[in-house]
């Protein structure tokens, strides 16, 4: 089940359409359904409407390229034929995905799709697979079983392997939207791709952009547990509450799969938010850190030179935030700072 963050996004991003100088600003908002989720693009400035429309075209273009659900997408074609020579977006995505796969010791893995299918997340006919089925499927998953040549872009999938860029696509899209916005005469923009936020440029009143972090414990899916100021940044969250089903055994099963076990990832975390200039990396890392759990997520952050910020929410309700956020962060919940 997907909880829609549109209302939350609109409340948080709404600012009067008047600039600091009291001048009237042009503001335009576009609501879009793509990548299996609700999205919203809001632009300010002279070419706000044109920029919103171009953003929508870019979102639809990437959805048509990357969707596992659309039979004629490039990814679906690769999944049928098992090989391709990658270029453009797909080449970039493949290389970024393999890099994150490597540095997360396989916690982020774009070959996880046969497992996503097995659990019914692709068809929405959810089911709890048997142990044997999972064991058999694990034999075909794993980025170590594909071959990819960076030079030529030649990709050959292992036997029965299938790709799924679902864990990186929205962050990548938000990165591409920055390029789109830069070719229009706009002052600023804020985008929510299913709750993953990207800000661009300046807010008309001159104040920083503020983004809400969804409360993973709220049943309505629309309350905020924290807010951060985030100018020209991607704020990307992965959580067990985003898509899940309840099995006949009464247990809940969510959509982030631990590639090492084939089961929905189980750790001390209920949600991971990554704040970074690089939306694609933030997206892949939020999925990976959710799988890895708190300790390994913190170690990875330290090992990668603290070049992004994180909000990790543990099952006990505590927020663990990295040091760089301490002056731009508000919450009424219990929190600790990680250095
Ligand atoms: P969301 O798409 O809900 O914002 P994520 O960015 O965490 O959340 O991506 C989850 C999606 O990524 C799943 O729906 C599935 O398609 C895919 N996925 C699941 N587990 C993994 C994994 N371990 N590595 C890479 N992709 C994954
Ligand atoms: Mg992700």
């Amino acid at each position: 089940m997907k909880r829609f963050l549109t209302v939350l996004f609109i409340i948080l991003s709404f600012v009067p359409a008047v600039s600091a100088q009291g001048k009237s600003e042009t503001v335009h908002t576009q609501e879009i359904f793509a990548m299996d989720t609700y999205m919203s693009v809001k632009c300010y400035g002279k070419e706000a409407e044109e920029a919103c429309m171009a953003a929508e075209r870019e979102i639809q273009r990437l959805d048509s390229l990357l969707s596992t659900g659309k039979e004629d997408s490039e990814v679906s074609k690769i999944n049928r034929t098992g090989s391709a020579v990658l270029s453009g977006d797909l080449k970039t995505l493949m290389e970024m995905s393999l890099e994150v796969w490597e540095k997360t010791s396989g916690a982020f893995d774009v070959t996880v799709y046969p497992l996503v299918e097995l659990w019914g997340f692709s068809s929405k006919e959810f089911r709890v697979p048997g142990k044997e089925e999972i064991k058999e499927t694990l034999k075909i998953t794993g980025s170590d079983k594909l071959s990819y040549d960076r030079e030529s872009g030649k990709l050959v999938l292992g036997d029965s392997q299938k790709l799924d860029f679902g864990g990186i696509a929205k962050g990548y899209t938000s990165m591409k939207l920055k390029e789109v916005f830069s070719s229009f005469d706009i002052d600023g923009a804020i985008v929510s791709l299913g709750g993953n936020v990207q800000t661009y440029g300046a807010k008309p009143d001159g104040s920083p952009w503020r983004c809400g972090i969804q409360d993973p414990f709220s049943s309505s899916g629309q309350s905020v547990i924290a807010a951060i100021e985030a100018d020209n940044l991607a704020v990307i969250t992965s959580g067990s509450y985003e898509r899940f089903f309840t099995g006949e055994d009464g247990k809940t099963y969510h959509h982030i799969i631990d590639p090492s076990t084939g089961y929905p990832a189980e750790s001390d975390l209920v949600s991971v938010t990554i704040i970074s200039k690089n939306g694609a990396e933030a997206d892949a890392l939020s999925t990976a850190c959710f799988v890895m759990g708190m300790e390994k997520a913190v170690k990875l952050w330290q090992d990668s030179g603290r070049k992004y910020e994180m909000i990790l929410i543990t099952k006990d309700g505590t927020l663990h935030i990295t040091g760089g956020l301490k002056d731009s962060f508000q919450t009424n919940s219990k929190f600790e700072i990680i250095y």
Side-chain angles (χ1 to χ4, degrees), residues 26-330:
T26 313
V27 51
H28 192 83
T29 306
Q30 194 104 351
E31 306 287 336
I32 303 151
F33 188 83
M35 301 184 178
D36 208 19
T37 192
Y38 286 97
M39 301 184 168
S40 170
V41 178
K42 187 172 192 173
C43 297
Y44 297 89
K46 236 191 201 156
E47 297 186 319
E49 189 174 351
E50 291 89 336
C52 277
M53 280 157 63
E56 174 166 13
R57 282 195 299 275
E58 181 67 351
I59 289 169
Q60 302 292 6
R61 182 186 74 81
L62 288 168
D63 192 14
S64 305
L65 186 75
L66 303 174
S67 169
T68 46
K70 294 180 179 159
E71 275 199 16
D72 54 353
S73 75
E74 283 307 309
V75 167
S76 292
K77 282 182 204 157
I78 296 171
N79 287 346
R80 277 198 301 275
T81 59
S83 68
V85 177
L86 305 184
S87 62
D89 300 294
L90 278 173
K91 187 167 193 291
T92 309
L93 276 164
M94 191 69 215
E95 289 168 15
M96 282 181 157
S97 298
L98 289 175
E99 266 163 42
V100 180
W101 171 72
E102 214 169 302
K103 75 174 175 202
T104 63
S105 307
F108 181 79
D109 193 329
V110 286
T111 68
V112 85
Y113 197 59
L115 289 163
V116 173
E117 283 184 310
L118 189 66
W119 285 88
F121 286 107
S122 49
S123 60
K124 299 199 169 66
E125 285 167 26
F126 307 111
R127 60 185 277 267
V128 181
K131 280 201 176 88
E132 269 311 306
E133 282 177 282
I134 290 180
K135 215 171 121 192
E136 283 306 305
T137 310
L138 282 171
K139 288 184 184 159
I140 59 169
T141 56
S143 287
D144 53 333
K145 296 180 188 112
L146 59 79
S147 91
Y148 177 68
D149 179 45
R150 263 175 173 264
E151 195 90 341
S152 61
K154 175 84 183 164
L155 166 76
V156 182
L157 295 178
D159 240 3
S160 308
Q161 278 200 313
K162 285 181 184 176
L163 297 177
D164 174 11
F165 290 106
I168 189 171
K170 288 189 280 256
Y172 181 76
T173 303
S174 71
M175 225 169 79
K176 297 296 285 184
L177 291 183
K178 286 195 294 184
E179 285 173 30
V180 169
F181 293 146
S182 68
S183 57
F184 288 91
D185 183 3
I186 58 168
D187 303 320
I190 184 163
V191 175
S192 167
L193 310 177
N196 298 306
V197 176
Q198 171 76 54
T199 64
Y200 174 86
K203 236 170 86 173
D205 65 357
S207 66
W209 294 108
R210 276 163 56 82
C211 302
I213 308 299
Q214 194 186 343
D215 181 351
F217 305 103
S218 137
S219 54
S220 74
Q222 287 181 356
S223 54
V224 173
I225 199 164
I228 52 162
E229 292 170 1
D231 277 348
N232 287 306
L233 289 168
V235 180
I236 307 235
T237 302
S238 286
S240 49
Y241 57 87
E242 290 187 320
R243 282 171 205 254
F244 61 87
F245 71 94
T246 306
E248 279 169 15
D249 54 5
K251 282 182 27 185
T252 58
Y253 297 94
H254 62 78
H255 72 313
I256 302 173
I257 307 288
D258 182 341
S260 70
T261 64
Y263 283 82
E266 258 307 318
S267 75
D268 46 357
L269 298 174
V270 282
S271 115
V272 175
T273 301
I274 306 279
I275 299 107
S276 168
K277 285 204 181 314
N278 183 332
E281 195 185 47
D283 198 353
L285 284 176
S286 72
T287 307
C289 289
F290 185 86
V291 172
M292 292 157 76
M294 166 103 179
E295 200 183 322
K296 287 185 181 159
V298 172
K299 173 122 194 351
L300 179 67
W301 173 72
Q302 289 164 338
D303 291 348
S304 33
R306 296 169 164 79
K307 67 176 184 175
Y308 51 89
E309 305 294 337
M310 306 191 286
I311 301 170
L312 306 172
I313 307 182
T314 40
K315 282 182 174 157
D316 66 357
T318 310
L319 279 68
H320 307 262
I321 66 160
T322 50
L325 294 176
K326 72 176 191 309
D327 298 327
S328 59
F329 171 86
Q330 293 98 36

